[in-house]
Amino acid sequence: ALSNLIDNALKYGREAEVAVDGDADDAWITVTDRGSVLTGDDLDRLTGAFQRGRNSADASGVGLGLAIVSTVASQHGGDVRFQRADSGLSARLQLCRFWS
């Protein structure tokens, strides 16, 4: 999941900044790119299978990567969320530390 988020940041946003944080219950990894331009509709459907953002026209792929990231996160008691950042897109992968 993390590898996919970093690869996407490099592929669509030219740069990947990775930050790690957590608390007693959860750990999260945030990957922020520089340059992804996505609409609100794009953000809402990013984790759907075979969905691609409008910025992906010149890049290879079929739209499964972020669906896989979402599934992996869910299987580990977490989720993935996307939001616009100052200069691109931020993806936050949250995982439950004591998931069973």
Side-chain angles (χ1 to χ4, degrees):
L2 181 57
S3 175
N4 185 284
L5 291 175
I6 293 170
D7 287 347
N8 277 3
L10 295 171
K11 186 176 189 178
Y12 300 110
R14 304 180 320 265
E15 181 178 303
E17 179 181 313
V18 180
V20 179
D21 205 348
D23 59 25
D25 298 318
D26 298 302
W28 52 90
I29 303 164
T30 305
V31 179
T32 304
D33 69 27
R34 187 174 305 273
S36 287
V37 179
L38 297 174
T39 66
D41 288 340
D42 287 334
L43 292 175
D44 291 341
R45 61 186 183 86
L46 276 179
T47 58
F50 303 107
Q51 299 295 315
R52 300 185 77 200
R54 294 179 189 160
N55 64 338
S56 65
D58 296 329
S60 63
V62 295
L64 287 175
L66 296 177
I68 293 169
V69 170
S70 180
T71 300
V72 168
S74 178
Q75 290 174 338
H76 289 85
D79 64 9
V80 62
R81 297 179 188 171
F82 301 91
Q83 65 182 30
R84 288 187 200 123
D86 290 337
S87 60
L89 179 70
S90 179
R92 180 175 167 166
L93 176 63
Q94 184 168 341
L95 303 171
C96 180
R97 293 185 64 207
F98 301 104
W99 179 78
S100 57

Coordinates of all heavy atoms in Angstrom, one line a residue:
A1 N 0.8 -1.2 0.0 CA 0.0 0.0 0.0 C 0.9 1.3 0.0 O 0.6 2.2 -0.8 CB -0.9 0.0 1.2
L2 N 1.9 1.3 0.9 CA 2.8 2.4 0.9 C 3.5 2.6 -0.3 O 3.7 3.7 -0.9 CB 3.7 2.3 2.1 CG 4.7 3.4 2.4 CD1 3.9 4.8 2.5 CD2 5.5 3.2 3.6
S3 N 4.0 1.5 -0.9 CA 4.8 1.6 -2.1 C 3.9 2.2 -3.2 O 4.4 3.0 -4.0 CB 5.3 0.2 -2.5 OG 5.9 0.2 -3.8
N4 N 2.7 1.8 -3.3 CA 1.8 2.3 -4.3 C 1.5 3.8 -4.1 O 1.5 4.5 -5.1 CB 0.4 1.5 -4.3 CG -0.5 2.0 -5.4 OD1 -1.1 3.0 -5.3 ND2 -0.6 1.1 -6.4
L5 N 1.3 4.2 -2.9 CA 1.1 5.7 -2.7 C 2.3 6.5 -3.1 O 2.2 7.6 -3.7 CB 0.8 5.9 -1.2 CG -0.6 5.4 -0.7 CD1 -0.7 5.6 0.8 CD2 -1.7 6.1 -1.5
I6 N 3.5 6.0 -2.7 CA 4.7 6.7 -3.1 C 4.9 6.7 -4.6 O 5.2 7.8 -5.2 CB 6.0 6.1 -2.4 CG1 5.9 6.4 -0.9 CG2 7.3 6.7 -3.0 CD1 6.9 5.7 -0.1
D7 N 4.7 5.6 -5.3 CA 4.8 5.5 -6.7 C 3.9 6.4 -7.4 O 4.2 7.1 -8.4 CB 4.6 4.1 -7.2 CG 5.7 3.1 -6.9 OD1 6.8 3.6 -6.5 OD2 5.5 1.9 -7.0
N8 N 2.6 6.5 -6.9 CA 1.6 7.4 -7.5 C 2.1 8.9 -7.3 O 1.9 9.7 -8.2 CB 0.3 7.2 -6.9 CG -0.5 6.1 -7.6 OD1 0.0 5.4 -8.5 ND2 -1.7 5.8 -7.1
A9 N 2.6 9.2 -6.2 CA 3.0 10.6 -5.9 C 4.1 11.0 -6.9 O 4.1 12.1 -7.5 CB 3.5 10.7 -4.5
L10 N 5.1 10.1 -7.1 CA 6.1 10.3 -8.1 C 5.7 10.4 -9.5 O 6.1 11.2 -10.3 CB 7.3 9.3 -7.9 CG 8.0 9.3 -6.6 CD1 8.9 8.1 -6.4 CD2 8.7 10.6 -6.4
K11 N 4.7 9.5 -9.8 CA 4.2 9.4 -11.2 C 3.4 10.6 -11.6 O 3.5 11.1 -12.7 CB 3.4 8.1 -11.3 CG 2.9 7.7 -12.7 CD 2.2 6.4 -12.5 CE 1.8 5.8 -13.8 NZ 1.2 4.5 -13.7
Y12 N 2.5 11.0 -10.7 CA 1.5 12.1 -11.0 C 1.9 13.4 -10.4 O 1.4 14.5 -10.9 CB 0.1 11.7 -10.6 CG -0.4 10.4 -11.2 CD1 -0.5 9.3 -10.5 CD2 -0.7 10.4 -12.6 CE1 -1.0 8.1 -11.1 CE2 -1.1 9.2 -13.2 CZ -1.2 8.1 -12.4 OH -1.7 6.9 -13.0
G13 N 2.7 13.4 -9.4 CA 3.0 14.7 -8.7 C 4.5 15.1 -8.7 O 4.8 16.0 -8.0
R14 N 5.3 14.3 -9.3 CA 6.8 14.6 -9.5 C 7.6 14.6 -8.2 O 8.8 14.7 -8.2 CB 6.9 16.0 -10.1 CG 6.3 16.2 -11.5 CD 6.5 17.5 -12.1 NE 6.4 18.6 -11.1 CZ 5.3 19.4 -10.9 NH1 4.2 19.1 -11.5 NH2 5.3 20.4 -10.1
E15 N 7.0 14.4 -7.1 CA 7.7 14.4 -5.8 C 6.9 13.7 -4.8 O 5.6 13.7 -4.8 CB 7.9 15.8 -5.4 CG 8.7 16.0 -4.1 CD 8.9 17.5 -3.8 OE1 9.5 18.2 -4.6 OE2 8.5 17.9 -2.7
A16 N 7.5 13.0 -3.8 CA 6.8 12.3 -2.7 C 7.4 12.7 -1.4 O 8.6 12.4 -1.2 CB 6.9 10.8 -2.9
E17 N 6.7 13.4 -0.6 CA 7.1 13.7 0.8 C 6.4 12.7 1.7 O 5.1 12.7 1.7 CB 6.8 15.1 1.1 CG 7.2 15.5 2.5 CD 6.8 17.0 2.8 OE1 7.1 17.8 1.9 OE2 6.2 17.2 3.9
V18 N 7.1 12.0 2.5 CA 6.5 11.0 3.4 C 6.7 11.4 4.9 O 7.8 11.8 5.3 CB 7.1 9.6 3.2 CG1 6.5 8.5 4.1 CG2 7.0 9.2 1.7
A19 N 5.6 11.4 5.6 CA 5.6 11.7 7.0 C 4.9 10.5 7.8 O 4.0 10.0 7.3 CB 4.9 13.0 7.3
V20 N 5.5 10.2 9.0 CA 4.9 9.2 9.8 C 4.6 9.7 11.2 O 5.3 10.5 11.7 CB 6.0 8.0 10.0 CG1 5.4 6.9 10.9 CG2 6.4 7.5 8.6
D21 N 3.4 9.3 11.7 CA 3.0 9.8 13.0 C 2.1 8.8 13.6 O 1.7 7.8 13.0 CB 2.3 11.2 12.9 CG 2.4 12.0 14.2 OD1 2.7 11.4 15.2 OD2 2.0 13.2 14.1
G22 N 1.7 9.0 14.8 CA 0.8 8.0 15.4 C 0.4 8.4 16.9 O 1.0 9.4 17.4
D23 N -0.4 7.6 17.4 CA -0.8 7.8 18.8 C -0.9 6.4 19.5 O -0.5 5.4 18.8 CB -2.0 8.7 19.0 CG -3.3 8.1 18.3 OD1 -3.3 6.9 18.1 OD2 -4.2 8.9 18.0
A24 N -1.5 6.3 20.6 CA -1.7 5.0 21.3 C -2.5 4.0 20.5 O -2.3 2.8 20.6 CB -2.2 5.2 22.7
D25 N -3.4 4.5 19.7 CA -4.3 3.6 19.0 C -4.0 3.4 17.5 O -4.3 2.3 17.0 CB -5.8 4.1 19.1 CG -6.2 4.2 20.6 OD1 -6.0 3.2 21.3 OD2 -6.9 5.2 20.9
D26 N -3.5 4.4 16.9 CA -3.4 4.4 15.4 C -2.0 4.9 15.0 O -1.4 5.7 15.7 CB -4.4 5.3 14.7 CG -5.8 4.8 15.0 OD1 -6.1 3.6 14.7 OD2 -6.6 5.6 15.5
A27 N -1.5 4.4 13.9 CA -0.4 4.9 13.2 C -0.8 5.4 11.8 O -1.7 4.8 11.2 CB 0.7 3.8 13.0
W28 N -0.2 6.5 11.3 CA -0.5 6.9 10.0 C 0.7 7.4 9.3 O 1.6 7.9 9.8 CB -1.6 8.0 10.0 CG -1.4 9.2 10.9 CD1 -0.8 10.3 10.6 CD2 -1.9 9.3 12.3 NE1 -0.8 11.2 11.7 CE2 -1.5 10.6 12.7 CE3 -2.5 8.5 13.1 CZ2 -1.7 11.0 14.0 CZ3 -2.8 8.9 14.4 CH2 -2.4 10.2 14.8
I29 N 0.6 7.2 8.0 CA 1.7 7.6 7.1 C 1.0 8.5 6.0 O 0.0 8.1 5.4 CB 2.3 6.3 6.4 CG1 2.8 5.4 7.4 CG2 3.4 6.8 5.4 CD1 3.1 4.0 6.9
T30 N 1.6 9.7 5.9 CA 1.1 10.6 4.9 C 2.0 10.8 3.8 O 3.2 11.0 4.0 CB 0.8 12.0 5.6 OG1 -0.1 11.8 6.7 CG2 0.2 13.0 4.6
V31 N 1.6 10.7 2.6 CA 2.4 10.9 1.4 C 1.8 12.0 0.6 O 0.6 12.0 0.2 CB 2.4 9.6 0.5 CG1 3.2 9.8 -0.8 CG2 2.9 8.4 1.2
T32 N 2.6 13.1 0.4 CA 2.1 14.3 -0.2 C 3.0 14.5 -1.5 O 4.2 14.4 -1.5 CB 2.3 15.5 0.7 OG1 1.6 15.3 1.9 CG2 1.8 16.8 0.1
D33 N 2.3 14.8 -2.6 CA 3.0 15.0 -3.8 C 3.0 16.5 -4.1 O 2.4 17.3 -3.4 CB 2.4 14.2 -5.0 CG 1.0 14.6 -5.4 OD1 0.6 15.8 -5.3 OD2 0.3 13.7 -6.0
R34 N 3.6 16.9 -5.2 CA 3.6 18.3 -5.6 C 3.2 18.3 -7.1 O 4.0 18.0 -8.0 CB 5.1 18.8 -5.5 CG 5.2 20.3 -5.7 CD 6.6 20.8 -5.4 NE 7.1 20.4 -4.1 CZ 6.8 21.2 -3.0 NH1 6.2 22.3 -3.1 NH2 7.3 20.8 -1.8
G35 N 2.0 18.7 -7.3 CA 1.5 18.9 -8.6 C 0.3 18.2 -9.1 O -0.3 18.5 -10.1
S36 N -0.2 17.2 -8.3 CA -1.5 16.6 -8.8 C -2.6 17.6 -8.7 O -2.8 18.2 -7.7 CB -1.8 15.4 -7.8 OG -0.9 14.3 -8.1
V37 N -3.3 17.6 -9.8 CA -4.5 18.5 -9.9 C -5.7 17.6 -10.0 O -5.9 17.0 -11.1 CB -4.4 19.5 -11.0 CG1 -5.6 20.4 -11.1 CG2 -3.1 20.3 -10.9
L38 N -6.5 17.5 -9.0 CA -7.7 16.7 -9.0 C -8.9 17.5 -8.5 O -8.8 18.3 -7.6 CB -7.5 15.4 -8.2 CG -6.4 14.5 -8.6 CD1 -6.3 13.4 -7.5 CD2 -6.7 13.9 -9.9
T39 N -10.1 17.2 -9.1 CA -11.3 17.8 -8.7 C -11.9 17.1 -7.5 O -11.4 16.0 -7.1 CB -12.3 17.8 -9.8 OG1 -12.7 16.4 -10.0 CG2 -11.8 18.4 -11.1
G40 N -12.9 17.7 -6.9 CA -13.5 17.1 -5.7 C -14.1 15.7 -6.1 O -14.1 14.8 -5.4
D41 N -14.7 15.6 -7.4 CA -15.2 14.4 -7.8 C -14.1 13.3 -8.0 O -14.3 12.2 -7.6 CB -15.9 14.6 -9.2 CG -17.2 15.3 -9.1 OD1 -17.8 15.4 -8.0 OD2 -17.6 15.9 -10.1
D42 N -13.0 13.7 -8.5 CA -11.8 12.8 -8.6 C -11.5 12.3 -7.2 O -11.3 11.1 -7.0 CB -10.6 13.5 -9.2 CG -10.7 13.7 -10.7 OD1 -11.5 13.0 -11.3 OD2 -10.1 14.7 -11.1
L43 N -11.4 13.1 -6.2 CA -11.0 12.7 -4.8 C -12.0 11.7 -4.3 O -11.6 10.8 -3.6 CB -10.9 13.9 -3.9 CG -9.7 14.9 -4.2 CD1 -9.8 16.1 -3.3 CD2 -8.4 14.2 -4.0
D44 N -13.3 12.0 -4.5 CA -14.3 11.1 -4.0 C -14.3 9.7 -4.6 O -14.7 8.7 -3.9 CB -15.7 11.7 -4.3 CG -16.0 12.9 -3.5 OD1 -15.3 13.1 -2.5 OD2 -16.9 13.7 -3.9
R45 N -13.8 9.5 -5.8 CA -13.8 8.2 -6.4 C -12.4 7.5 -6.6 O -12.3 6.5 -7.2 CB -14.5 8.3 -7.8 CG -13.9 9.2 -8.8 CD -14.7 9.3 -10.1 NE -14.1 10.1 -11.0 CZ -13.2 9.6 -11.9 NH1 -12.9 8.4 -11.9 NH2 -12.6 10.4 -12.8
L46 N -11.4 8.1 -6.0 CA -10.0 7.6 -6.2 C -9.8 6.2 -5.8 O -9.1 5.5 -6.4 CB -9.0 8.5 -5.4 CG -8.6 9.7 -6.0 CD1 -7.6 10.5 -5.1 CD2 -7.9 9.5 -7.3
T47 N -10.5 5.7 -4.8 CA -10.3 4.3 -4.3 C -11.2 3.3 -5.0 O -11.2 2.1 -4.6 CB -10.4 4.2 -2.8 OG1 -11.7 4.6 -2.4 CG2 -9.4 5.0 -2.1
G48 N -12.0 3.7 -5.9 CA -12.9 2.8 -6.6 C -12.1 2.0 -7.7 O -11.1 2.5 -8.3
A49 N -12.4 0.7 -7.9 CA -11.7 -0.1 -8.9 C -11.9 0.5 -10.3 O -13.0 1.0 -10.6 CB -12.2 -1.5 -8.9
F50 N -10.9 0.6 -11.1 CA -10.9 1.0 -12.5 C -11.2 2.5 -12.6 O -11.7 3.0 -13.6 CB -11.8 0.2 -13.3 CG -11.5 -1.3 -13.3 CD1 -12.3 -2.2 -12.6 CD2 -10.3 -1.7 -13.9 CE1 -11.9 -3.5 -12.6 CE2 -10.0 -3.1 -13.9 CZ -10.8 -4.0 -13.2
Q51 N -10.9 3.3 -11.5 CA -11.1 4.7 -11.5 C -9.8 5.4 -11.6 O -8.8 5.1 -11.0 CB -11.8 5.2 -10.2 CG -13.2 4.6 -10.0 CD -14.2 5.0 -11.1 OE1 -14.2 6.2 -11.4 NE2 -14.9 4.0 -11.6
R52 N -9.7 6.4 -12.5 CA -8.5 7.2 -12.7 C -8.8 8.7 -12.7 O -9.9 9.1 -13.1 CB -7.8 6.8 -14.0 CG -7.4 5.3 -14.0 CD -6.6 5.0 -15.2 NE -5.3 5.4 -15.0 CZ -4.4 5.6 -16.0 NH1 -4.8 5.4 -17.3 NH2 -3.2 6.1 -15.8
G53 N -7.9 9.5 -12.1 CA -8.1 10.9 -12.1 C -7.9 11.5 -13.5 O -7.3 10.9 -14.4
R54 N -8.3 12.7 -13.7 CA -8.2 13.3 -15.0 C -6.7 13.6 -15.3 O -6.4 13.9 -16.5 CB -9.0 14.6 -15.0 CG -10.5 14.3 -14.9 CD -11.3 15.5 -14.9 NE -12.7 15.1 -14.6 CZ -13.6 15.8 -14.2 NH1 -13.4 17.1 -14.0 NH2 -14.8 15.4 -13.9
N55 N -5.9 13.6 -14.3 CA -4.5 13.9 -14.6 C -3.7 12.7 -15.0 O -2.5 12.7 -15.2 CB -3.8 14.5 -13.3 CG -3.8 13.5 -12.2 OD1 -4.6 12.5 -12.1 ND2 -2.9 13.7 -11.2
S56 N -4.4 11.6 -15.3 CA -3.7 10.3 -15.6 C -3.7 10.0 -17.1 O -3.3 8.9 -17.5 CB -4.3 9.2 -14.8 OG -5.7 9.0 -15.3
A57 N -4.1 10.9 -17.9 CA -4.3 10.6 -19.4 C -3.0 10.1 -20.0 O -3.0 9.3 -20.9 CB -4.8 11.8 -20.1
D58 N -1.9 10.7 -19.6 CA -0.6 10.4 -20.2 C 0.2 9.3 -19.5 O 1.3 9.0 -19.8 CB 0.3 11.6 -20.3 CG -0.3 12.7 -21.2 OD1 -1.0 12.3 -22.2 OD2 -0.1 13.9 -21.0
A59 N -0.4 8.7 -18.5 CA 0.3 7.7 -17.6 C -0.3 6.3 -17.8 O -1.5 6.2 -18.0 CB 0.3 8.1 -16.2
S60 N 0.5 5.3 -17.8 CA 0.0 3.9 -17.9 C -0.7 3.5 -16.6 O -0.5 4.1 -15.5 CB 1.2 3.0 -18.2 OG 2.1 3.0 -17.1
G61 N -1.6 2.5 -16.7 CA -2.3 2.0 -15.6 C -3.8 1.8 -15.9 O -4.3 2.3 -16.9
V62 N -4.4 1.1 -15.0 CA -5.9 0.8 -15.3 C -6.8 1.2 -14.2 O -8.0 1.1 -14.2 CB -6.1 -0.8 -15.5 CG1 -5.4 -1.2 -16.8 CG2 -5.6 -1.6 -14.3
G63 N -6.2 1.8 -13.1 CA -7.0 2.3 -12.0 C -7.3 1.4 -10.9 O -8.3 1.5 -10.3
L64 N -6.4 0.5 -10.6 CA -6.6 -0.5 -9.5 C -5.7 -0.2 -8.3 O -6.0 -0.7 -7.2 CB -6.3 -1.9 -10.0 CG -7.3 -2.5 -10.9 CD1 -6.9 -3.9 -11.4 CD2 -8.7 -2.6 -10.2
G65 N -4.6 0.6 -8.5 CA -3.7 0.8 -7.4 C -4.3 1.3 -6.1 O -4.0 0.8 -5.1
L66 N -5.0 2.4 -6.2 CA -5.6 3.0 -5.0 C -6.7 2.2 -4.4 O -7.0 2.2 -3.2 CB -6.0 4.4 -5.3 CG -4.8 5.3 -5.6 CD1 -5.3 6.8 -5.9 CD2 -3.8 5.4 -4.5
A67 N -7.4 1.4 -5.3 CA -8.4 0.4 -4.8 C -7.7 -0.6 -3.9 O -8.2 -1.0 -2.9 CB -9.2 -0.2 -5.9
I68 N -6.6 -1.1 -4.4 CA -5.8 -2.0 -3.6 C -5.3 -1.4 -2.3 O -5.4 -2.1 -1.2 CB -4.6 -2.6 -4.5 CG1 -5.2 -3.4 -5.6 CG2 -3.7 -3.4 -3.6 CD1 -4.2 -3.8 -6.7
V69 N -4.8 -0.2 -2.3 CA -4.4 0.5 -1.1 C -5.5 0.6 -0.1 O -5.3 0.2 1.1 CB -3.9 1.9 -1.4 CG1 -3.7 2.7 -0.2 CG2 -2.6 1.9 -2.3
S70 N -6.7 0.9 -0.6 CA -7.9 1.0 0.3 C -8.2 -0.4 0.9 O -8.5 -0.5 2.1 CB -9.1 1.5 -0.5 OG -10.2 1.6 0.3
T71 N -8.2 -1.4 0.1 CA -8.4 -2.8 0.6 C -7.4 -3.2 1.6 O -7.8 -3.8 2.7 CB -8.5 -3.8 -0.6 OG1 -9.5 -3.3 -1.5 CG2 -8.8 -5.2 -0.1
V72 N -6.1 -3.0 1.4 CA -5.1 -3.4 2.3 C -5.3 -2.6 3.6 O -5.2 -3.2 4.7 CB -3.7 -3.1 1.7 CG1 -2.6 -3.2 2.7 CG2 -3.4 -4.1 0.5
A73 N -5.5 -1.3 3.5 CA -5.8 -0.5 4.8 C -6.9 -1.1 5.6 O -6.8 -1.3 6.8 CB -6.0 0.9 4.4
S74 N -8.0 -1.4 4.9 CA -9.2 -1.9 5.5 C -8.9 -3.3 6.2 O -9.4 -3.5 7.3 CB -10.3 -2.0 4.5 OG -11.5 -2.6 5.1
Q75 N -8.2 -4.1 5.5 CA -7.8 -5.4 6.1 C -6.9 -5.3 7.3 O -6.7 -6.3 8.0 CB -7.2 -6.3 5.0 CG -8.1 -6.7 3.9 CD -7.4 -7.4 2.8 OE1 -6.2 -7.3 2.6 NE2 -8.2 -8.2 2.1
H76 N -6.3 -4.1 7.5 CA -5.5 -3.9 8.7 C -6.1 -2.9 9.7 O -5.4 -2.3 10.4 CB -4.1 -3.4 8.3 CG -3.3 -4.5 7.6 ND1 -3.4 -4.7 6.2 CD2 -2.4 -5.4 8.1 CE1 -2.6 -5.7 5.9 NE2 -2.0 -6.1 7.0
G77 N -7.4 -2.8 9.6 CA -8.2 -2.0 10.6 C -8.0 -0.5 10.3 O -8.2 0.3 11.3
G78 N -7.8 -0.1 9.1 CA -7.6 1.3 8.8 C -8.3 1.8 7.6 O -9.2 1.2 7.1
D79 N -7.8 2.9 7.1 CA -8.4 3.4 5.8 C -7.3 4.4 5.2 O -6.3 4.6 5.7 CB -9.7 4.2 6.1 CG -9.5 5.4 7.0 OD1 -8.4 5.8 7.3 OD2 -10.5 6.0 7.4
V80 N -7.7 4.8 4.0 CA -6.9 5.8 3.3 C -7.8 7.0 2.9 O -8.9 6.8 2.5 CB -6.2 5.2 2.1 CG1 -7.1 4.7 1.0 CG2 -5.2 6.2 1.5
R81 N -7.3 8.2 3.1 CA -8.1 9.4 2.8 C -7.2 10.3 2.0 O -6.0 10.4 2.2 CB -8.5 10.1 4.0 CG -9.4 9.2 4.9 CD -9.9 9.9 6.1 NE -10.6 9.0 6.9 CZ -10.9 9.2 8.2 NH1 -10.7 10.3 8.7 NH2 -11.6 8.3 8.8
F82 N -7.9 11.1 1.1 CA -7.2 12.0 0.2 C -7.7 13.4 0.4 O -8.9 13.6 0.7 CB -7.4 11.6 -1.3 CG -6.9 10.2 -1.6 CD1 -7.7 9.1 -1.5 CD2 -5.6 10.0 -1.9 CE1 -7.3 7.9 -1.7 CE2 -5.1 8.7 -2.2 CZ -5.9 7.7 -2.1
Q83 N -6.8 14.4 0.3 CA -7.2 15.8 0.4 C -6.2 16.6 -0.4 O -5.1 16.2 -0.6 CB -7.3 16.3 1.8 CG -6.0 16.3 2.6 CD -6.3 16.8 4.0 OE1 -7.3 16.6 4.6 NE2 -5.3 17.4 4.5
R84 N -6.7 17.7 -0.9 CA -5.8 18.6 -1.6 C -4.8 19.2 -0.6 O -5.1 19.6 0.5 CB -6.6 19.8 -2.2 CG -7.4 19.3 -3.4 CD -8.0 20.4 -4.1 NE -9.1 19.9 -4.9 CZ -10.3 20.3 -4.8 NH1 -10.7 21.3 -4.0 NH2 -11.3 19.8 -5.6
A85 N -3.5 19.3 -1.0 CA -2.5 19.9 -0.2 C -2.2 21.3 -0.8 O -2.7 21.6 -1.9 CB -1.3 19.0 -0.1
D86 N -1.3 22.0 -0.2 CA -0.9 23.4 -0.7 C -0.4 23.3 -2.1 O -0.8 24.2 -2.9 CB 0.1 24.0 0.2 CG -0.4 24.4 1.6 OD1 -1.6 24.6 1.7 OD2 0.4 24.5 2.5
S87 N 0.3 22.3 -2.4 CA 0.9 22.3 -3.8 C 0.6 21.0 -4.5 O 1.3 20.7 -5.5 CB 2.4 22.5 -3.7 OG 3.0 21.5 -2.9
G88 N -0.4 20.2 -4.1 CA -0.6 18.9 -4.7 C -1.7 18.2 -4.0 O -2.7 18.7 -3.6
L89 N -1.4 16.9 -3.8 CA -2.4 16.0 -3.1 C -1.7 15.3 -2.0 O -0.6 14.9 -2.0 CB -2.8 14.9 -4.2 CG -3.8 13.9 -3.7 CD1 -5.2 14.5 -3.5 CD2 -3.9 12.8 -4.8
S90 N -2.5 15.0 -0.9 CA -2.0 14.4 0.3 C -2.9 13.1 0.5 O -4.1 13.2 0.4 CB -2.1 15.3 1.5 OG -1.7 14.6 2.6
A91 N -2.2 12.0 0.6 CA -2.9 10.7 0.9 C -2.4 10.3 2.3 O -1.2 10.2 2.6 CB -2.4 9.6 -0.1
R92 N -3.4 10.0 3.2 CA -3.1 9.6 4.6 C -3.6 8.1 4.8 O -4.8 7.8 4.7 CB -3.8 10.5 5.5 CG -3.5 10.1 7.0 CD -4.1 11.1 7.9 NE -4.2 10.6 9.3 CZ -4.4 11.4 10.3 NH1 -4.6 12.7 10.2 NH2 -4.4 10.8 11.5
L93 N -2.6 7.2 5.0 CA -2.9 5.8 5.2 C -2.9 5.7 6.8 O -1.9 5.9 7.4 CB -1.8 5.0 4.6 CG -1.8 3.5 4.8 CD1 -3.1 2.9 4.3 CD2 -0.6 2.8 4.2
Q94 N -4.0 5.3 7.3 CA -4.2 5.1 8.8 C -4.4 3.7 9.1 O -5.2 3.0 8.5 CB -5.3 5.9 9.3 CG -5.5 5.9 10.8 CD -6.4 6.9 11.3 OE1 -6.8 7.9 10.6 NE2 -6.9 6.7 12.5
L95 N -3.6 3.2 10.0 CA -3.7 1.8 10.4 C -3.8 1.7 12.0 O -3.2 2.4 12.7 CB -2.4 1.0 10.0 CG -2.0 1.1 8.5 CD1 -0.7 0.5 8.3 CD2 -3.1 0.3 7.7
C96 N -4.7 0.7 12.4 CA -4.9 0.5 13.8 C -3.7 -0.3 14.4 O -3.3 -1.3 13.8 CB -6.2 -0.3 14.0 SG -6.6 -0.7 15.7
R97 N -3.1 0.2 15.4 CA -1.9 -0.4 16.0 C -2.2 -1.7 16.7 O -1.3 -2.6 16.7 CB -1.3 0.5 17.0 CG -0.7 1.8 16.4 CD 0.0 2.7 17.3 NE 1.2 2.0 17.8 CZ 1.8 2.2 18.9 NH1 1.3 3.1 19.8 NH2 2.8 1.5 19.3
F98 N -3.4 -1.9 17.2 CA -3.7 -3.2 17.9 C -4.9 -3.9 17.2 O -5.8 -4.4 17.9 CB -4.1 -2.9 19.3 CG -2.9 -2.2 20.0 CD1 -3.0 -0.8 20.3 CD2 -1.8 -2.9 20.4 CE1 -1.9 -0.2 20.9 CE2 -0.8 -2.3 21.0 CZ -0.8 -0.9 21.3
W99 N -4.8 -3.9 15.9 CA -5.9 -4.6 15.1 C -5.8 -6.1 15.3 O -4.7 -6.7 15.4 CB -5.7 -4.2 13.6 CG -6.7 -4.8 12.7 CD1 -8.0 -4.4 12.6 CD2 -6.5 -6.0 11.9 NE1 -8.6 -5.3 11.7 CE2 -7.7 -6.2 11.2 CE3 -5.4 -6.8 11.7 CZ2 -7.8 -7.2 10.3 CZ3 -5.6 -7.8 10.8 CH2 -6.8 -8.0 10.1
S100 N -6.9 -6.8 15.3 CA -6.9 -8.2 15.5 C -7.9 -8.9 14.5 O -8.8 -8.3 14.0 CB -7.3 -8.6 16.9 OG -8.5 -8.1 17.3

